[in-house]
Amino acid sequence: MMGAFDAIRPYADAEVRPVLARLLADPAFLGALTRFRFPRLAGPLGWLLKPLIAARLRSEFASIDSVSKLQEKIEPYIDRTIEHATDGISYSGLEHLQPGKPYLYLANHRDIVMDPAFVNYAVYHAGLQTPRIAIGDNLLQRPFVSDLMRLNKSFIVHRSISGRREKLAAYQLLSAYINHSIREDGESIWIAQAEGRAKDGDDRTDSAILKMFHMSRKDEPFAEVIDSLNLIPVSISYEYDPCDLAKARELCVRAATGSYTKAPGEDDASIALGITGYKGRVHLHFSPPVAGLEDTKQLAQEIDRHILGQYRLFPVHYLAYAMWEGREAGLNVPAASDVFDAAELAKAEAQWNKRLAACSAEEKPFLILQYANPVRNQYRIKAGLPL
């Protein structure tokens, strides 16, 4: 059966050594690593540094012959990167998860690399198995990126297919793989609730993704299929989004011209900024499994209720909401000063003003929108209003 998934699945233990060998002989990968580690020296001394880095990594990874050993090896580096770019990570709801049981984690989507990295971080440190991660092929333009991601339990979602028939076949394969992973392999899955990041801070579940889960088991009732996948809504809240100014610029251009064309290398730059940029505090909430819902519309609404209702609101969200032209009078959203103490609020105001100052007048409303939307959504849920 596994042969059917070869084009999209993560690498298996037997493939780890040959893929590592291929990476350590890849000039593009070594060049990227050199630029990351030694940004100033990479240009003039790249020719000297590349073979040294390759030799160092070869000895360091010599004993790695399985995916779990590789994850254990890179875990301290990832932990350091995560901890360096945040003011602390907190999580709640892990008591809803049982060790040894596979889950389908469906999360809101703000950052390409860090969303699944934070979920991995939380479950790994709670002694649970790390999930296989869905990643769009639009981010795997270079072979070494694809190799790296598939070594780290990522599987490929073919998004750059245009024909309707091909798209359908790709979704069918993806559906079969997700079901196979959870039910046959006993391996958890992480996937975003919608294609592409929520650039306006309005996190919504795309019912097409929920339909896809059912596609490969069409002859079974929808609710039964979803229940068998142990679907856990995950809410990821960043105090500050390192890419917020870039997102505001993109939304502003779209609003003015009707479209937005990415510059060459823009994806790479936003991935790097998302990883290393300052995020303030980060909170993850794991909801209990959602079950017993008969169709995609009902299920999407229930997932949204969990994700938006459990989203951790920080002072900056209330500050943005108070400035937002779209705020709703009937929602009874308190002022930031009624929710947070003076010291916490002063720190947030300084950071927020810095971000506003870095924004042009045209882009400012789109920056405010990103931080205000989660407040509106959560208070609508509290008031029992439709989203």
Side-chain angles (χ1 to χ4, degrees):
M1 183 60 181
M2 272 319 276
F5 306 124
D6 281 353
I8 63 168
R9 64 169 177 79
Y11 291 132
D13 289 347
E15 295 164 294
V16 169
R17 290 192 99 118
V19 174
L20 280 174
R22 181 164 74 223
L23 276 169
L24 295 177
D26 183 335
F29 171 62
L30 294 170
L33 214 52
T34 309
R35 283 191 299 279
F36 180 71
R37 282 287 288 113
F38 307 103
R40 287 204 184 85
L41 302 174
L45 292 176
W47 60 275
L48 177 64
L49 291 168
K50 272 195 254 183
L52 291 175
I53 287 175
R56 165 88 193 275
L57 289 174
R58 233 173 253 122
S59 72
E60 207 168 310
F61 286 86
S63 62
I64 304 296
D65 57 4
S66 71
V67 173
S68 62
K69 276 189 193 168
L70 182 69
Q71 284 204 323
E72 272 167 37
K73 184 81 178 165
I74 59 178
E75 187 64 34
Y77 298 101
I78 291 170
D79 283 6
R80 262 209 306 281
T81 306
I82 283 176
E83 286 153 14
H84 187 70
T86 72
D87 287 339
I89 307 154
S90 54
Y91 15 90
S92 51
L94 282 165
E95 67 278 3
H96 301 134
L97 308 176
Q98 295 168 27
K101 189 172 182 180
Y103 294 100
L104 172 56
Y105 298 109
L106 191 75
N108 60 322
H109 192 25
R110 297 302 176 79
D111 186 83
I112 297 158
V113 173
M114 296 315 291
D115 292 350
F118 281 122
V119 170
N120 257 351
Y121 180 94
V123 299
Y124 181 88
H125 289 289
L128 302 160
Q129 56 159 207
T130 54
R132 291 171 170 173
I133 294 161
I135 182 160
D137 62 353
N138 53 314
L139 303 169
L140 306 176
Q141 258 103 15
R142 286 174 299 183
F144 80 81
V145 179
S146 181
D147 274 346
L148 276 176
M149 299 309 284
R150 291 176 78 184
L151 272 177
N152 196 28
K153 291 177 85 166
S154 293
F155 60 96
I156 299 169
V157 177
H158 287 297
R159 284 194 182 141
S160 39
I161 297 171
S162 48
R164 195 174 171 276
R165 280 250 298 282
E166 291 87 343
K167 241 184 189 150
L168 209 61
Y171 260 167
Q172 184 77 31
L173 182 67
L174 187 61
S175 175
Y177 178 70
I178 288 170
N179 277 277
H180 186 277
S181 182
I182 288 169
R183 299 174 75 227
E184 310 297 325
D185 297 343
E187 291 274 357
S188 294
I189 293 283
W190 175 93
I191 192 165
Q193 67 179 161
E195 203 174 290
R197 298 169 296 164
K199 299 195 177 80
D200 57 1
D202 193 13
D203 299 306
R204 296 301 165 97
T205 305
D206 180 0
S207 54
I209 287 195
L210 307 179
K211 212 172 273 171
M212 178 270 291
F213 297 147
H214 183 229
M215 260 176 103
S216 60
R217 295 166 63 190
K218 269 234 162 43
D219 51 342
E220 298 171 58
F222 178 78
E224 271 177 38
V225 171
I226 296 300
D227 294 2
S228 75
L229 296 175
N230 308 321
L231 195 158
I232 303 273
V234 181
S235 187
I236 305 174
S237 170
Y238 298 90
E239 187 170 10
Y240 302 104
D241 181 342
C243 299
D244 54 6
L245 296 174
K247 288 177 183 177
R249 196 173 311 117
E250 178 176 336
L251 292 172
C252 184
V253 171
R254 270 186 201 283
T257 67
S259 69
Y260 179 81
T261 310
K262 282 182 184 173
E266 195 170 327
D267 268 343
D268 291 350
S270 72
I271 286 172
L273 184 59
I275 294 170
T276 57
Y278 175 66
K279 297 164 195 66
R281 291 166 291 178
V282 176
H283 183 78
L284 279 82
H285 179 79
F286 295 84
S287 290
V290 289
L293 292 149
E294 300 298 327
D295 62 47
T296 54
K297 194 165 176 254
Q298 277 183 346
L299 181 59
Q301 284 171 347
E302 182 63 8
I303 291 166
D304 287 348
R305 217 173 52 74
H306 280 289
I307 288 177
L308 301 170
Q310 298 294 339
Y311 190 93
R312 170 72 59 88
L313 296 173
F314 293 104
V316 66
H317 295 107
Y318 287 90
L319 294 172
Y321 187 81
M323 297 176 74
W324 186 37
E325 288 173 359
R327 63 184 182 274
E328 296 171 28
L331 282 187
N332 299 322
V333 175
S337 55
D338 294 339
V339 186
F340 304 97
D341 66 45
E344 190 179 355
L345 194 52
K347 190 182 174 192
E349 279 173 338
Q351 179 65 235
W352 179 230
N353 289 332
K354 208 164 86 179
R355 283 165 191 265
L356 287 167
C359 228
S360 71
E362 300 79 44
E363 290 164 10
K364 216 166 269 180
F366 298 98
L367 180 70
I368 291 165
L369 178 72
Q370 290 174 55
Y371 288 96
N373 254 330
V375 180
R376 186 201 73 136
N377 287 337
Q378 191 164 111
Y379 279 85
R380 282 191 81 89
I381 287 168
K382 283 181 178 173
L385 296 167
L387 287 163

